[in-house]
Amino acid sequence: MPFPRLPRLLDAALDRLVVPGYSKLGYLARSAGWEALPSDALAGRTVAVTGASSGLGAATATGLAGCGADVELVVRDRGRGEAARDTVLAAHPDARVTVARCDLADLADVRRYALDARDRLLALHGLVHNAGVLPGERVETADGHELCLATHVLAPFLLTRELLPLLRAGSPPDRPGDPARVVFVSSGGMYTASLRTDDPEYTEGRYSGGAAYARTKRMQVVLAELLADDLASAGVAVHSMHPGWADTPGVADSLPGFHRLTGPLLRTAEQGADTAVWLAAAAEPGRCSGVFWHDRAPRPTHWLPGEESAAQRAALWAFCVDATSSAPTH
Ligand SMILES: NC(=O)c1ccc[n+]([C@@H]2O[C@H](COP(=O)([O-])OP(=O)(O)OC[C@H]3O[C@@H](n4cnc5c(N)ncnc54)[C@H](OP(=O)(O)O)[C@@H]3O)[C@@H](O)[C@H]2O)c1
């Protein structure tokens, strides 16, 4: 029997104060009022998770398998993907887990993977865009895109569109109110950035990996809203979320000072991944689309002034279409 839900005002206060809300304190206070997801919530359905070889991606895959899903681990390194599959199977020995290779920083490889997935799979109930990077310096991909932009924005945009036939098949008309779900794993860091369609490739000014990360995490939230509108007629729901602060190899490697300072307060990867799993499996997020979530609740997309204009949103869409339509196929 769960405890009563945290009163809404207290929940919002935790959020505004950042440290209590994003740390494991926020998770523990909120999760006491949650219902456990049924172990058959996703039985017979397939969900793909990018960046599933580590941290939150591996934890998301494990959580989805715990809901009965067949899970596709989309990874750039097969050996690391197979190790993650062993981790998922150790927790859920009966799960069906596939490992598929895809380098999201290479748009041609994204197309190749999507073609392969369309050949192998009948339908996708979920696609979790989890892969992420925080580079120390400005790096360009083989396609000539800044690395955060390529990994967080262009690859998910292209992959969602290329996998649309499978997502449509995962949203059959005889199951209204339970559509296929696309989930963007963004970051609370996006609150610090505005939508920079004037310089999407971050070529102007002094480059900072942290700023590039935050800018592209902001783009993910706007892109989820745009894709939600675009895919409404296909019956596919699109959401974004942020996991709070979780102890993962990514945080330990890219932010060692932050990791040391916040260590005891960090969530486990499983706690950080909870909302992504819930968005794919629960009924409530199937009844809406284009919402930004944290700890199973809708959250504001802006705390500071600087909401993006309709023209900026249209510019982001046009930029993504242009940058991905010119990508070659292997
Ligand atoms: N942990 C947190 O507190 C936190 C907070 C806010 C947001 N997030 C977001 O959560 C997501 C997962 O982060 P994490 O903390 O779990 O970090 P992580 O442990 O570094 O995991 C990142 C994953 O992304 C994969 N990846 C990176 N570039 C890729 C590419 N080009 N192609 C395919 N896969 C690629 C990595 O693959 P390899 O194993 O091959 O490197 C790894 O599996 C990220 O989007 C991050 O921005 C995390």
Side-chain angles (χ1 to χ4, degrees), residues 271-323:
Q271 292 169 346
D274 171 83
T275 296
V277 175
W278 180 82
L279 286 170
E284 184 184 339
R287 293 192 287 264
C288 56
S289 190
V291 179
F292 179 58
W293 304 80
H294 172 57
D295 280 347
R296 301 191 183 188
R299 305 289 169 183
T301 54
H302 291 268
W303 288 124
L304 303 167
E307 195 142 337
E308 49 282 342
S309 66
Q312 282 178 304
R313 297 163 72 84
L316 176 65
W317 186 263
F319 175 79
C320 290
V321 169
D322 186 51

Side-chain angles (χ1 to χ4, degrees), residues 79-173:
R80 287 169 58 69
E82 281 166 5
R85 178 175 59 193
D86 291 346
T87 306
V88 177
L89 290 175
H92 304 289
D94 296 333
R96 285 159 51 125
V97 187
T98 48
V99 177
R101 218 202 50 77
C102 177
D103 181 355
L104 297 161
D106 176 350
L107 292 174
D109 206 40
V110 173
R111 280 193 202 287
R112 178 207 51 78
Y113 162 67
L115 204 63
D116 166 59
R118 292 203 306 264
D119 271 355
R120 281 185 297 112
L121 304 174
L122 294 175
L124 264 185
H125 176 77
L127 171 60
V128 182
H129 295 302
N130 162 81
V133 284
L134 204 171
E137 57 187 36
R138 190 174 186 285
V139 176
E140 278 191 9
T141 65
D143 303 306
H145 299 296
E146 188 275 326
L147 185 62
C148 287
L149 180 76
T151 312
H152 300 156
V153 180
L154 297 178
F157 178 79
L158 182 60
L159 193 54
T160 304
R161 286 163 63 108
E162 291 284 312
L163 293 179
L164 190 53
L166 293 178
L167 292 164
R168 270 186 207 277
S171 304

Side-chain angles (χ1 to χ4, degrees), residues 51 53-54 56 76 80 103-104 130 132 186 213 217 244 246 248 250-251:
S53 55
S54 175
L56 297 182
R76 62 179 162 183
R80 287 169 58 69
D103 181 355
L104 297 161
N130 162 81
S186 179
Y213 177 86
K217 290 290 168 183
T248 63
V251 170

